[in-house]
């Protein structure tokens, strides 16, 4: 039993529900903001090395368009089942508990893994602004140095977002809105300038491999960089009382479409403003390309400001989604029950939030070495979650029509989404396909699966002991 402050000893019922304060615009900024981070600045060289200027643009256009059926499925599911558990809730309605747990655990990875990625990236961006931060090397991971100032900056941002989310979803949503629309405004400014200074000749080479291979290598990473639209469902329990359910799907659809436009546009502009092939060795080739085109340092400052705002919102959005899934797993008894507790005053999943914050701080100690492997593992994790959600939608339509009804055409859309998700997962794990997992990605994935297996086993053992005690 919980009690009030020292002024009163009147018992108060423990809070078990989350605060309902989110509006339609909050769900859009959560979905799009969770999706778009700073990959367009930090690893643009990796993108263009994979596909070339045209190959990368086509990769994002095609890969993003293939996600629209999956987004449609999520829209149907979140309206039918507005549960913070997301994929856990959808799959548990028709599949076994182990399948539901495995799906939720992989989707938690898809969101959580972005958090240390952004915490590391903020140190790199800060060091570009203040080169003196590239000092006081502590150690190396996979040959890459880890600097103390980078760690301090990343840990400070992690602590800030942990506190922000701990104290209330309204604070977090307001932060997400300001950073999202700030990113839009600055993006329009530097893209307009870039287009006015570029030349078509800079766009070559159009592909770095055969056209089909170039596009495929980019499509492989699209799931990671487009993950986020489905985060709308993770905050479904926090909708304000006057919120209309159909707005969930509208927010998801807008997040995907604007995400596609954003990624394709930024790649096209970077390829247009400067000869990109000559800039592949630059630390932040996006910023360098614009500086060469405009001939002034101030454009770099605009780009870095946009990148920082984008990083903050992406970090925050994925933090929200990861903590809600972690909370949902705890509430359903799939991991330690304390993870499913709600703060009495702030009505936030406080324990889950602290766990995500601490785990982010630990993982970012690996430094820059995690950037590209994290991209690869995150792509597979979210593809697994998407496939499970589509399969659950089709199964629910057959077994529980009171929840979801699908016409013949709608079943085809859901089936197509399932096939797309499966294909995106296989593209990274089948050895015969170019761009498949390396040893580092397999190790990262194996570690996460092992942690999940241990957590699940402990809960199963605990339930068996409780059942035995009850019988006696």
């Amino acid at each position: 039993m919980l009690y009030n402050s020292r002024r009163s000893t009147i018992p108060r019922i423990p809070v078990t529900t989350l605060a309902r304060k989110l509006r339609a615009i909050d769900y859009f900024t959560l979905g799009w903001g969770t999706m778009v981070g700073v990959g367009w600045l930090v690893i643009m060289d990796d993108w263009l090395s994979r596909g070339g200027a045209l190959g990368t643009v086509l990769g994002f256009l095609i890969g993003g368009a293939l996600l629209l059926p999956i987004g449609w499925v999520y829209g149907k599911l979140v309206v039918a089942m507005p549960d913070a558990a997301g994929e856990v809730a959808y799959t548990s309605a028709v599949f076994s508990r182990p399948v539901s747990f495995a799906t939720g655990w992989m989707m938690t990875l898809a969101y959580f893994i972005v958090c240390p990625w952004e915490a590391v990236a903020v140190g790199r961006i800060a060091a570009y602004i203040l080169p003196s931060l590239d000092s006081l090397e502590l150690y190396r991971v996979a040959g890459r140095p880890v600097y103390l100032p980078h760690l301090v900056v990343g840990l400070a941002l992690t602590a800030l977002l942990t506190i922000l989310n701990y104290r209330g979803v309204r604070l977090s949503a307001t932060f997400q809105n300001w950073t999202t629309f700030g990113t839009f405004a600055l993006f329009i400014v530097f893209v307009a300038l870039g287009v006015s200074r570029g030349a078509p000749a800079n766009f070559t080479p159009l592909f770095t491999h055969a056209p089909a291979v170039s596009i495929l290598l980019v499509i492989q990473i699209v799931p990671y960089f487009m993950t986020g639209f489905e985060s709308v469902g993770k905050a479904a329990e926090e909708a304000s009382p006057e919120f209309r359910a159909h707005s969930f799907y509208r927010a998801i659809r807008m997040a995907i479409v604007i995400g596609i436009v954003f990624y394709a546009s930024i790649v096209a502009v970077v390829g247009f403003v400067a000869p990109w092939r000559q800039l592949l060795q630059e630390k932040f080739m996006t910023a360098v390309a614009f500086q060469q085109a405009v001939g002034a340092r101030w454009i770099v400052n605009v780009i870095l400001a946009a990148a920082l705002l984008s990083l903050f919102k992406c970090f925050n959005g994925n933090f929200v989604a990861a903590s809600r899934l972690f909370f949902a797993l705890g509430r359903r008894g799939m991991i330690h029950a304390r993870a499913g507790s709600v703060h009495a005053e702030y009505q936030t999943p406080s324990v889950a939030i602290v766990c995500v914050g601490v785990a982010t701080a630990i993982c970012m100690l690996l430094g820059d070495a995690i950037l590209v492997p994290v991209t690869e593992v995150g792509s597979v994790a979210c593809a697994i979650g998407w496939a499970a959600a589509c399969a659950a939608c089709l199964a629910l339509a057959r077994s529980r029509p009171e929840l979801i009804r699908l016409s013949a055409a709608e079943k085809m859309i859901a089936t197509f989404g399932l096939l797309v998700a499966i294909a995106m997962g296989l593209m990274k794990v089948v050895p015969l396909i170019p761009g498949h997992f390396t040893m580092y990605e397999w190790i990262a994935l194996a570690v996460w699966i092992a942690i999940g297996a241990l957590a699940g086993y402990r809960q199963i053992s605990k339930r068996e002991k409780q059942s035995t005690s009850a019988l006696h």
Side-chain angles (χ1 to χ4, degrees), residues 19-349:
R20 300 186 61 191
K21 297 184 177 180
L22 299 184
R23 305 159 302 183
I25 190 67
D26 301 323
Y27 283 105
F28 164 70
T29 59
L30 174 62
W32 187 81
T34 302
M35 182 189 305
V36 178
V38 291
W40 55 272
L41 175 68
V42 177
I43 55 173
M44 178 64 76
D45 56 337
D46 177 67
W47 295 1
L48 289 170
S49 295
R50 288 170 178 268
L54 182 58
T56 305
V57 170
L58 291 175
F60 274 105
L61 287 173
I62 296 171
L66 289 173
L67 299 184
L68 287 169
I70 299 175
W72 179 86
V73 167
Y74 271 93
K76 295 286 287 188
L77 288 170
V78 72
V79 170
M81 304 175 68
D83 192 313
E87 293 82 2
V88 180
Y90 312 147
T91 52
S92 66
V94 284
F95 302 133
S96 66
R97 187 179 178 89
V99 169
S100 180
F101 172 70
T103 301
W105 191 249
M106 293 307 295
M107 280 307 293
T108 302
L109 172 63
Y111 296 117
F112 163 70
I113 209 167
V114 178
C115 297
W117 198 102
E118 301 294 346
V120 169
V122 73
R124 294 190 70 192
I125 295 173
Y128 193 78
I129 300 171
L130 299 172
S132 60
L133 296 181
D134 282 337
S135 60
L136 299 176
E137 181 180 328
L138 298 177
Y139 50 87
R140 287 178 174 258
V141 177
R144 293 176 177 265
V146 177
Y147 299 109
L148 177 60
H150 288 214
L151 290 180
V152 171
V153 172
L155 290 172
L157 179 58
T158 301
L160 171 65
L161 293 183
T162 302
I163 294 170
L164 195 70
N165 281 277
Y166 188 93
R167 291 184 62 85
V169 72
R170 186 65 258 161
L171 274 175
S172 178
T174 300
F175 178 85
Q176 191 77 0
N177 293 345
W178 279 100
T179 50
T180 294
F181 290 107
T183 302
F184 276 138
L186 293 174
F187 173 75
I188 291 171
V189 169
F190 70 76
V191 164
L193 285 169
V195 169
S196 67
R197 304 295 180 90
N202 294 331
F203 214 62
T204 55
L206 301 181
F207 303 97
T208 52
H209 307 81
V213 173
S214 297
I215 295 170
L216 175 65
L217 289 173
V218 176
I219 290 176
Q220 287 178 338
I221 61 170
V222 167
Y224 175 77
F225 291 103
M226 294 289 287
T227 299
F229 61 86
E230 70 293 323
S231 63
V232 167
K234 312 307 181 292
E237 293 182 33
E238 296 164 268
S240 62
E242 63 273 12
F243 184 85
R244 295 185 178 182
H246 71 271
S247 295
F248 284 129
Y249 173 64
R250 184 179 300 171
I252 291 172
R253 182 184 61 204
M254 286 184 62
I256 294 175
V257 171
I258 296 178
I260 294 170
V261 172
F262 180 92
Y263 281 126
S265 298
I266 191 65
V267 172
V269 172
V270 170
F272 184 72
V273 298
W276 63 268
R277 194 64 182 261
Q278 300 174 20
L279 304 177
L280 289 178
Q281 302 305 314
E282 297 290 342
K283 189 173 184 179
F284 292 126
M285 67 169 296
T286 300
V288 174
F290 276 88
Q291 184 174 4
Q292 286 191 7
V294 177
R297 172 72 185 185
W298 65 265
I299 189 66
V300 174
N301 295 332
V302 173
I303 293 172
L304 293 177
L308 286 173
L309 287 176
S310 190
L311 183 150
F312 295 158
K313 69 173 177 52
C314 186
F315 194 165
N316 184 65
N318 280 281
F319 197 108
V320 170
S323 60
R324 268 50 178 186
L325 261 182
F326 202 63
F327 159 76
L329 289 170
R331 186 173 60 180
R332 289 170 176 261
M334 294 181 172
I335 58 176
H336 199 288
R338 286 196 63 190
S341 60
V342 178
H343 194 281
E345 180 182 355
Y346 302 127
Q347 290 184 267
T348 57

